[in-house]
Structures are given as C-alpha cells and as structure tokens.
Amino acid sequence: MTVSAEQETFEFQTEAKQLLKLMVHSLYSNKEIFMRELISNASDACDKLRFDAISDAKLTQGVADLQIKVEFDAEKKTLSIIDNGIGMSRDEVIENIGTIAKSGTREFIDKLTGDQKKDSQLIGQFGVGFYSVFIVAHKVEMLTRKAGLESDQGVHWVSEGEGSYTLESIDIPETGTKVILHIRDEEADLLDQFRLQNIIKKYSDHINLPIKMLTEVQETEKDKEDNKEEDNKEEDNKTEDKKEEKKFEWETVNQASALWSRPKKDISEEEYNEFYKTVSMDYEEPLAKVHSHVEGNNTYTTLFYIPKRAPFDMYDRDKRHGVKLYVNRVYIMDDAEHLMPNYLRFVRGVVDSDNLPLNVSREILQSNPMIDRIRSASVKKILSLLESMATNDKEKYATFWEAFGKVLKEGAGEDFANKDQIAKLFRFSSTHEIKSTADVSLDDYISRMKPEQKHIYFIAADSFTAVKNSPHLEVFRKKEIEVLLMSERVDEWMMSHMSEYADKKFKSVAKGDLDLGDLSDKEMQEEVEKAETEFKDLTAKMKDALGERVKEVRVSQRLTDSPACLIVEDGDMAISMQNLFKQAGHEMPAIQPTMEINPQHILVKRLNSDLDDAQFNDWAHILFDQSILSEGGQLEDPSAFVSRLNTMLAGFALSR
C-alpha cells in the first residue's frame, strides 16, 4: 500500500476479543504492570535491531543511540512509549498485534476462571502483556516503521480494545515504534512525572538501555542573572505581562546497565525479582535463583531463575524460550537451546559471554567448545541449586517438584554425565506411606531398605489409583517391603534409562521373574513348589485355552488376594504404556505376557475342578481380561468379555 491508501478495519480473533474484554475489567491486580510490558517490548525491539545490524549495517544508518523515551501530556491525557528499535512492517503488525498467544490461545481462554488472582498469573504465563494497556487506556495508537523499509511504509495502528482495530499506511521519518495510550479518566493519576519515574525505576531499572523522560530544568542563579539582564534591555518589559517559559531536557531515569553485570552485593532482592518478571513474562516472583561470574580463558556471567509454576507450553518440546544469550551485554538470541538441555527448559535467565563473536549463529553454537563449557557449568549450577533447595527447604522443593518433576525426569535419558545427581533429585510416592504426594527420594528409600534387600523395587502404571491398587504389590505388602509407586507417563521411559542408583539395582515388581533373594523365606518357597506341582495340569490347560494371548501360565509368588495378574519381560514395555502408544496412533509390536495365577484364590480353585470345556474357556478368558484391565490395558473385544462375565454370573445365580 502507499501513503495515500485508505484506512482499513480488521477484526481481532474471537479469543482476542474475549481476552481484551477481560483486560478492560482489570485482570491485573497491579495496573502499573503495563509500563513494564511496554518498556520490555521496546527493549526487545532495540536488541533485535542491534543484532540484525551486525550482518546488515544499513539497518542502523541514521539511527542515533538506541534508547527508550517516555512522554506524557496531562491535559490531553496521553502517555507515550517510544523506541528507535527494529519496528514492524504492516504484515508483522497484523500477525503480532492482531492475534494473541497464537500457539495456545484456545487453551489459554479455556483456563481463565474469572478469579482475578489466578487469571492474572495466567496472563503473565501466556506473554500477552501488551494488552494490559487496555486496563488503563480507553484507546491505544501505535506508529511503527520497520528498519530497512522506506519512510512511506510506516504503519498507524489504532484500537479501542473492543473487537477491532484499524490500520493505515503513513509516512514515518524514523524507524522504531511509538505507542500512545489515551488514559482513562479514572487512571489520570498515572500522568505524573514523579509517579512515572518511580514506576520505571521499580520495574525497568535493569533495562540495558537508557529510558528517558522530559524533565524540567531548574534555573541556576547564573541563569537568573542572565535572564534579568536580558529583560532590562527590553523597554516594554515593565508594561507587558510576560509568561515565564519552562525549559525541559531528556533525563535518563533508569540505571541503564545490565543487572547481571553488576556485583551481587549491589543488587536488591526486589531488583532480582523484577528482572525475572521481565525475562520470563511471569507475574509471580521466582522460586529460586543463582547468579555467578566466571573469569579466565572463557569469561562469562550467568543469571538463572527457577519459576514457581509451569508455563502453559512447557510440554511443547519444540518451543524454547528459556535462556537469552548476550555477548558483551549485546543481545544475540533467544531460544538458545545449546545453552540449556531440554530437561531444564523451565529455567529462565541470561548468559553473557565476553569471548564469543558478536556474529555468533546457531550453527556456530553447535560446534563451539566454549559453548559446551558454558552449558556444562550452567547445568551443574542449576542442579546444585536444586539439590541445595531439596536439602535446606523441603517445602520450597515440593513446590518445584510438583511443577517441574515430570520434566526433570527426562534428564535420566538425556544427560548421562549428570544422571546420578539428577536421580538424587527425584521424588516418588511409595508403599511406606501411601499418598499421592511424591516426597520420597531414592536416598530415603535406601535408608529404609531391609538389611538383606538387594534391589530398589518399583512399579509404574498410568494413574496413582491403578498403581497403589496393583495386584503386583500384594506379596510386598505382606512382607513389608517398600515399593516406589510411579504413576506419570514419563516414568516407564525414565526407568528404561536407570539401571541402578548407589550400587542398588532397580527391579520392577511387574516385570520378569520375581526375585526376592534373601527376603524369600523357606516356607514360602515350599508352598510355591507344591502349588506348581498341584496346578501343573491347570496351567497347561489354561495356556491351551488362551492360545497366543499368553506366553505361558504359571503359579504366582506375587499374589495373595487377587486371582491372576500379567507379567511382561524385563525389557518389554508395560501394558499400560503400550495402551497409551496405541491411543496415540502408534503401531506396537505384539507382546505376549505371562499370566500368573493365585492357587489360593477361590476362582482358581474352581477352575481346577469339574468345569466343562466351554465354562473353563470362558473363565480363563475372563481372568485374563480382568488382568489386562487391572494393568491399565485395553480389551480387544470388550463385548466378548461382558458376554462371558454375564454367562458366569448367570451360572452362579442359577446355582443358588
């Protein structure tokens, strides 16, 4: 379009309309937060221009020092935030301002509850801070021109926060963005220089760019004398009322220095927290932080934060926005996956290197030994921080584990070098005290192991209810042997990468032969051997009835109350996990489980009596299907199971 193009009106997304309506009704409990969001956006725009100019110097031609300006007009009730950063093209304005939280808008709207506190936290997590302007403004204008475009390709965006916005191409001499807020009458107290300065210092003091405001210049004594002499020269000065003209100049309000580059002793806790909110787009304070500076051949500074709660897109493994990379305080890139492994993707913060080249690219990062050393040291910093938290503040660590435990478990298969340290941080439920809260560490478990116990026993299922009621636990309850209860989907995969911890091998109680070692008493062994002989014909007959559905049928050492259970081999995937993969559309290889029966159970004893062939076949399949269900599996023919079960129940009813 040209400058003379007509103004066009666009509709916001349906979800954006809902969000804007909520914004107007003050979901943010602290209305001042809009200033932090706009200044952060302006800072990002300047960082992007500085980075792009490394490869294209023309982008900064005619651009003065990068800076952010704040202007206000109390009479017109306007407040403006101006930057000379990268700016936006017309298409980028439509993409970035016309839509909200593109990757998860629907999920975001669904999570809004009408609870002001909870919703405000969600807004922070979804990074929709720009729209907080409508809490204090009834109308917002944005004038922007992207660096590298001609002056007649500027864009004027206007919205009143309802359901639409207008776009118009205009001539803008300089690159950058200006956001003009038309302040609501009830928020007019914001239009005060002293208050605005305090807000900027509170939320954006750490921004590594000067944030400037027009400040009235106080007249010095010399200025007064000079003005007096000038006035005396004017003959009509005595008769004409002369208005005194005020003088203003741009004054830097913030420290304009990278917070992470300052000595730790000079940074207050409040400053740390506000910086975290800026880099994370979170509304809450962080759970923990670690700030360090390394000098030598590879000099760099890191500042990492652990959030209190998981962001909405934490399980989107392709979305990386945790750690920002700087070189000599110059922003280089976000999504620096080479600086932090995927299982620590919840970490927020910055890495600032003095030695990397300014034109570093993602390709260079992949093969740079300096980056490898920074990454390795950073991982150890984070793991040490978590270990300290787990030791010294169990309540805080419980908060962390609830939010990020599932993600940390991925480290068992991703970070072999630190696997033992990662495993030390894991928390589980266990049969020691059955509760859904996972607060048992592997060290806790080992400290309670029986003297003759050689294995760390565990069981995994797809829900806590299923795992705590699993028939595989029966003999362990009887012998008071603690078993770790794992009920998250990642657990099965995690345990495939963990063979031992502290010289104790892991053993699933639902896989392979049951090996209690010295925990198995002689009387128990004799009972099993006797039952194997007594029920030899029954197990063979059941195998014939079930055919290819089972690998074998045998007498169980595990069961004390249930009639039957299914066992897979040590290297096989659990039945519940197989079912999850099938539901996700994956083809799974056929696995024949072993069926174990409890010779003391009345149903098994009835099977070993005078049932005819049809009845025996039905009962055998019923026990097998029941075992599938108890494992969290899915029946191939549910109607056949129901039919057999009804036939059996009818037989019982008729025998009464």
Side-chain angles (χ1 to χ4, degrees):
M1 293 182 66
T2 65
V3 178
S4 60
E6 294 183 0
Q7 186 181 82
E8 288 187 274
T9 300
F10 296 82
E11 291 291 318
F12 281 111
Q13 289 178 319
T14 303
E15 294 87 349
K17 293 179 184 178
Q18 298 176 40
L19 182 58
L20 287 168
K21 184 178 180 180
L22 290 167
M23 283 290 189
V24 172
H25 289 84
S26 303
L27 283 178
Y28 275 120
S29 57
N30 185 355
K31 296 179 181 180
E32 297 176 350
I33 211 72
F34 79 92
M35 181 67 82
R36 184 191 74 191
E37 305 295 343
L38 292 183
I39 290 178
S40 294
N41 289 345
S43 175
D44 287 345
C46 292
D47 282 341
K48 289 174 183 176
L49 177 59
R50 186 158 46 185
F51 176 63
D52 288 351
I54 294 172
S55 55
D56 187 358
K58 293 180 181 179
L59 294 177
T60 53
Q61 284 183 357
V63 177
D65 293 338
L66 294 173
Q67 59 186 338
I68 301 166
K69 292 181 177 179
V70 178
E71 294 179 339
F72 72 95
D73 188 323
E75 292 183 4
K76 294 181 180 179
K77 294 182 180 177
T78 60
L79 173 63
S80 303
I81 290 83
I82 310 155
D83 70 74
N84 56 350
I86 192 72
M88 285 185 283
S89 66
R90 182 184 181 86
D91 289 342
E92 287 172 335
V93 170
I94 295 173
E95 181 181 4
N96 296 325
I97 307 299
T99 59
I100 296 176
K102 291 179 294 181
S103 63
T105 311
R106 182 70 263 165
E107 179 189 356
F108 172 58
I109 294 296
D110 290 343
K111 285 188 175 183
L112 292 176
T113 63
D115 183 310
Q116 187 181 67
K117 182 177 180 181
K118 292 180 180 178
D119 289 347
S120 66
Q121 292 167 350
L122 273 175
I123 288 171
Q125 291 174 41
F126 273 76
V128 290
F130 172 82
Y131 301 91
S132 63
V133 294
F134 289 106
I135 297 173
V136 298
H138 63 84
K139 176 182 175 182
V140 178
E141 297 181 69
M142 182 174 67
L143 296 90
T144 184
R145 174 187 148 202
K146 185 167 185 178
L149 298 182
E150 298 298 326
S151 63
D152 64 352
Q153 296 187 56
V155 182
H156 184 202
W157 178 95
V158 184
S159 177
E160 295 183 358
E162 296 295 333
S164 64
Y165 61 93
T166 61
L167 271 186
E168 182 181 12
S169 292
I170 62 172
D171 193 281
I172 300 179
E174 298 178 347
T175 61
T177 301
K178 180 177 184 178
V179 181
I180 306 170
L181 282 64
H182 296 264
I183 301 298
R184 299 176 186 276
D185 291 340
E186 61 270 25
E187 307 297 344
D189 59 331
L190 284 168
L191 301 172
D192 174 79
Q193 180 169 308
F194 182 73
R195 183 174 181 190
L196 287 172
Q197 287 178 336
N198 282 339
I199 292 173
I200 292 170
K201 289 179 179 178
K202 179 178 180 181
Y203 294 108
S204 305
D205 201 46
H206 59 273
I207 294 293
N208 190 25
L209 287 168
I211 304 172
K212 297 184 176 182
M213 284 187 66
L214 278 176
T215 305
E216 183 180 351
V217 178
Q218 298 297 322
E219 206 172 35
T220 65
E221 290 299 324
K222 186 177 184 304
D223 291 333
K224 291 179 181 179
E225 289 296 325
D226 292 341
N227 290 336
K228 188 175 181 181
E229 291 177 8
E230 192 69 28
D231 291 343
N232 289 336
K233 294 178 182 178
E234 299 180 14
E235 294 180 359
D236 58 344
N237 189 50
K238 296 179 181 179
T239 58
E240 183 180 327
D241 290 335
K242 185 177 180 181
K243 291 184 179 180
E244 184 180 347
E245 293 185 1
K246 295 182 179 180
K247 294 183 179 180
F248 294 86
E249 66 179 24
W250 290 103
E251 178 186 353
T252 300
V253 179
N254 64 326
Q255 290 197 28
S257 64
L259 176 135
W260 62 86
S261 66
R262 290 155 50 188
K264 288 188 282 187
K265 61 182 178 62
D266 295 340
I267 307 173
S268 68
E269 200 66 23
E270 184 179 13
E271 288 177 309
Y272 272 124
N273 291 342
E274 290 306 324
F275 179 69
Y276 163 74
K277 292 174 184 178
T278 299
V279 298
S280 68
M281 302 303 291
D282 196 354
Y283 190 75
E284 292 185 291
E285 294 178 355
L287 189 65
K289 69 177 184 304
V290 57
H291 186 186
S292 61
H293 179 71
V294 177
E295 292 186 348
N297 294 332
N298 189 11
T299 300
Y300 61 93
T301 300
T302 59
L303 174 54
F304 298 128
Y305 294 92
I306 307 294
K308 281 184 180 177
R309 65 181 70 241
F312 77 100
D313 56 358
M314 186 174 70
Y315 295 102
D316 181 355
R317 291 172 61 90
D318 296 328
K319 190 173 181 65
R320 304 297 301 277
H321 47 66
V323 178
K324 297 177 183 289
L325 175 63
Y326 288 77
V327 175
N328 288 314
R329 268 64 70 194
V330 176
Y331 171 77
I332 301 299
M333 68 180 73
D334 204 343
D335 305 341
E337 65 272 18
H338 304 294
L339 296 172
M340 196 63 64
N342 204 41
Y343 73 93
L344 294 178
R345 59 186 177 272
F346 52 83
V347 175
R348 301 291 183 261
V350 298
V351 172
D352 189 353
S353 171
D354 290 356
N355 306 104
L356 287 171
L358 279 174
N359 63 346
V360 65
S361 65
R362 295 186 186 279
E363 290 71 29
I364 293 175
L365 288 179
Q366 289 177 346
S367 58
N368 193 307
M370 196 177 299
I371 286 294
D372 292 338
R373 289 193 290 271
I374 292 176
R375 173 190 168 108
S376 178
S378 297
V379 169
K380 291 185 182 300
K381 285 285 184 185
I382 296 298
L383 296 180
S384 295
L385 174 64
L386 294 175
E387 193 170 335
S388 175
M389 192 193 307
T391 303
N392 302 318
D393 195 333
K394 288 181 168 53
E395 185 175 342
K396 183 181 287 190
Y397 189 75
T399 300
F400 162 79
W401 185 256
E402 183 177 359
F404 304 110
K406 294 177 185 177
V407 178
L408 190 66
K409 286 178 179 179
E410 295 174 12
E414 293 180 4
D415 190 351
F416 181 80
N418 295 300
K419 187 161 66 173
D420 288 343
Q421 190 174 5
I422 296 169
K424 191 179 184 69
L425 296 169
F426 291 165
R427 296 294 182 267
F428 307 97
S429 297
S430 87
T431 56
H432 175 71
E433 184 181 355
I434 296 182
K435 54 184 179 180
S436 58
T437 304
D439 56 5
V440 177
S441 70
L442 293 175
D443 290 332
D444 292 336
Y445 180 96
I446 290 174
S447 69
R448 293 192 291 262
M449 285 176 59
K450 294 179 177 295
E452 61 273 28
Q453 185 176 340
K454 296 179 180 179
H455 297 99
I456 299 174
Y457 293 106
F458 72 93
I459 182 171
D462 60 355
S463 72
F464 183 71
T465 301
V467 75
K468 74 175 182 178
N469 295 323
S470 173
H472 298 291
L473 297 174
E474 291 174 4
V475 72
F476 291 89
R477 287 199 183 96
K478 180 180 179 181
K479 300 185 74 63
E480 297 182 344
I481 302 171
E482 185 175 359
V483 179
L484 297 176
L485 306 177
M486 304 181 186
S487 56
E488 295 173 341
R489 293 184 177 184
V490 69
D491 289 331
E492 181 78 16
W493 175 87
M494 173 190 71
M495 294 311 299
S496 69
H497 295 277
M498 293 182 63
S499 58
E500 62 179 48
Y501 175 79
D503 296 327
K504 303 289 184 181
K505 292 188 178 299
F506 288 100
K507 174 63 179 173
S508 171
V509 302
K511 293 184 178 182
D513 295 331
L514 180 62
D515 179 16
L516 294 178
D518 295 336
L519 296 171
S520 179
D521 55 71
K522 183 178 180 181
E523 181 180 349
M524 174 183 173
Q525 199 62 39
E526 289 176 350
E527 288 179 359
V528 171
E529 291 174 358
K530 180 180 178 182
E532 286 176 345
T533 301
E534 183 179 346
F535 287 83
K536 182 178 181 180
D537 293 340
L538 174 64
T539 55
K541 189 176 180 181
M542 289 183 70
K543 172 64 175 81
D544 290 339
L546 295 171
E548 295 299 315
R549 299 187 75 183
V550 295
K551 182 179 180 180
E552 68 170 311
V553 180
R554 67 190 183 198
V555 171
S556 178
Q557 300 182 52
R558 294 173 169 85
L559 302 175
T560 60
D561 302 313
S562 302
C565 68
L566 298 180
I567 307 297
V568 296
E569 296 300 317
D570 282 324
D572 290 341
M573 187 180 293
I575 292 173
S576 59
M577 187 59 61
Q578 294 177 44
N579 186 46
L580 290 175
F581 273 88
K582 289 177 182 177
Q583 290 176 353
H586 296 283
E587 290 291 332
M588 297 301 299
I591 296 178
Q592 285 183 306
T594 294
M595 185 174 183
E596 292 190 354
I597 59 173
N598 177 7
Q600 303 303 318
H601 197 279
I602 187 171
L603 291 180
V604 175
K605 290 181 177 179
R606 184 75 175 90
L607 266 172
N608 202 28
S609 60
D610 56 353
L611 292 177
D612 60 40
D613 290 343
Q615 287 178 316
F616 184 91
N617 183 74
D618 283 347
W619 281 44
H621 281 278
I622 287 172
L623 289 181
F624 181 85
D625 288 340
Q626 284 181 336
S627 300
I628 287 279
L629 293 174
S630 70
E631 293 293 323
Q634 188 172 2
L635 301 181
E636 292 182 4
D637 190 353
S639 60
F641 169 71
V642 172
S643 177
R644 290 182 179 120
L645 188 61
N646 288 339
T647 300
M648 184 177 74
L649 292 174
F652 276 119
L654 291 173
S655 65
R656 290 286 178 177

